[in-house]
Amino acid sequence: MTVLADIPLRHGFADLSGARLHYVEAGEGPLVILLHGWPEFWYAWREQIPALVAAGFRVVAPDLRGYGQSSRPLEVSAYGTDALAQDVHDLILERGAERAFVVGHDWGGFAAWAAAANHPEVVERLAILNAPHPRVMLHGLRRPRQLLRSWYMFVFQIPWLPERMLPAGDWRVLRFALEHDTLAGPLPAEELAQYRESWSMPGAARAMLAYYRAAFRQSPRASEASIRVVTAPTLVIWGDKDPALGRNLAAPSRADVPNLVGVEHLPNASHWVQRDEADRVSALLVEFFSV
């Protein structure tokens, strides 16, 4: 079995229209873009990169704006999904491709949904991991049970306090988030050190919180009115033991995603599905992109 340490990783920086993104790149072949979630960075895909490279793909895994070694715009509005979608579009072209297979988890999933909706010409196929379609998420937040599950989104709107809360106790909140209800268990010390280094960079806590704050800048009605159809063939992979996002949020409507290939439920996986079921997720992505 090929592991990340066996793959020659090429680190680089892409100067895009709205941000400077650090990325790692490996392999040769059709391009796959891997978009991590909150509060991770490119390293979240350490299990999938070797599998995709071994299957003949070229993989680019960026640090999303605000994360890792990527730039951190100061304005909250710079972290809206339209800006994230533009980054995906620009990154694909910057890496010399016209189209790419796009994979997104969590906030990377929202960026991927937006990229496929706003820039369909660059998205060949779309794979989403535990990130509801925007319309499904908006409707879910109208239900008391999902509101309770999403309590942290509202806490993150408070000025200043969350910036102090996240680093407290050696990043206790973020460590708990990554290790809560996972099959994989606690992160090994060497992996946790990688995350701690990323979180500790100047301005990182503020930038991570800006994702949630930008999402609340637009009214639900305006947000829903701005949703566009995703035409790319789409696969949703869902860890059913997600403590924050209910299983009922997994499937988008056919009206919004007419080329939905399927929703693959992994009943024992948590929100961190690509770590809990690494081999299964990798196999699903390879199969979906090899059609």
Side-chain angles (χ1 to χ4, degrees):
M1 177 180 176
T2 306
V3 296
L4 189 63
D6 298 330
I7 300 292
L9 294 177
R10 306 183 290 272
H11 287 259
F13 288 88
D15 291 311
L16 310 180
S17 58
R20 188 174 197 243
L21 299 190
H22 166 260
Y23 63 86
V24 297
E25 186 173 30
E28 303 294 339
L31 180 61
V32 177
I33 302 289
L34 300 176
L35 305 171
H36 67 83
W38 193 96
E40 301 185 285
F41 65 116
W42 74 263
Y43 190 68
W45 300 106
R46 59 196 175 277
E47 301 283 358
Q48 283 69 50
I49 292 172
L52 288 162
V53 169
F57 294 96
R58 175 166 63 111
V59 178
V60 171
D63 295 334
L64 298 185
R65 55 169 64 194
Y67 286 90
Q69 298 180 57
S70 292
S71 63
R72 310 187 207 287
L74 294 177
E75 303 82 6
V76 169
S77 60
Y79 297 87
T81 52
D82 284 350
L84 303 178
Q86 190 66 49
D87 284 350
V88 177
H89 168 274
D90 293 351
L91 181 62
I92 291 169
L93 300 184
E94 195 276 344
R95 297 316 304 141
E98 294 182 358
R99 296 171 68 81
F101 302 111
V102 177
V103 186
H105 171 248
D106 186 75
W107 268 107
F110 288 115
W113 281 123
N118 294 1
H119 308 285
E121 72 280 4
V122 300
V123 178
E124 185 74 32
R125 286 189 163 228
L126 178 68
I128 299 292
L129 283 61
N130 281 68
H133 183 273
R135 193 185 310 278
V136 175
M137 189 69 206
L138 286 168
H139 289 185
L141 287 173
R142 296 171 186 168
R143 300 173 182 173
R145 185 174 182 182
Q146 185 57 50
L147 275 173
L148 287 173
R149 285 183 166 202
S150 302
W151 62 269
Y152 58 93
M153 297 183 185
F154 301 94
V155 173
F156 289 167
Q157 305 307 311
I158 301 171
W160 303 111
L161 178 62
E163 280 88 338
R164 298 183 180 183
M165 179 181 69
L166 292 188
D170 190 24
W171 303 94
R172 183 188 300 113
V173 170
L174 300 189
R175 288 188 287 112
F176 178 82
L178 287 177
E179 298 176 345
H180 184 45
D181 289 344
T182 63
L183 287 173
L187 287 168
E190 63 273 16
E191 294 185 7
L192 183 57
Q194 297 264 13
Y195 284 107
R196 187 184 288 111
E197 179 182 0
S198 175
W199 299 333
S200 299
M201 292 182 177
R206 172 194 56 78
M208 288 190 288
L209 291 164
Y211 279 73
Y212 288 98
R213 290 168 175 167
F216 278 67
R217 289 291 179 92
Q218 192 174 38
S219 72
R221 180 175 295 180
S223 295
E224 190 157 10
S226 68
I227 293 172
R228 302 176 184 176
V229 172
V230 170
T231 57
T234 301
L235 172 68
V236 175
I237 302 172
W238 199 269
D240 286 345
K241 289 188 174 179
D242 191 323
L245 299 169
R247 186 180 189 276
N248 60 301
L249 301 182
S253 74
R254 288 284 180 177
D256 287 319
V257 189
N259 293 315
L260 179 68
V261 173
V263 179
E264 188 76 23
H265 287 276
L266 301 185
N268 294 316
S270 73
H271 180 74
W272 316 105
V273 60
Q274 75 268 43
R275 182 160 65 100
D276 286 351
E277 295 274 11
D279 291 345
R280 179 62 178 149
V281 169
S282 296
L284 286 168
L285 293 178
V286 169
E287 179 183 9
F288 180 51
F289 296 152
S290 299
V291 174

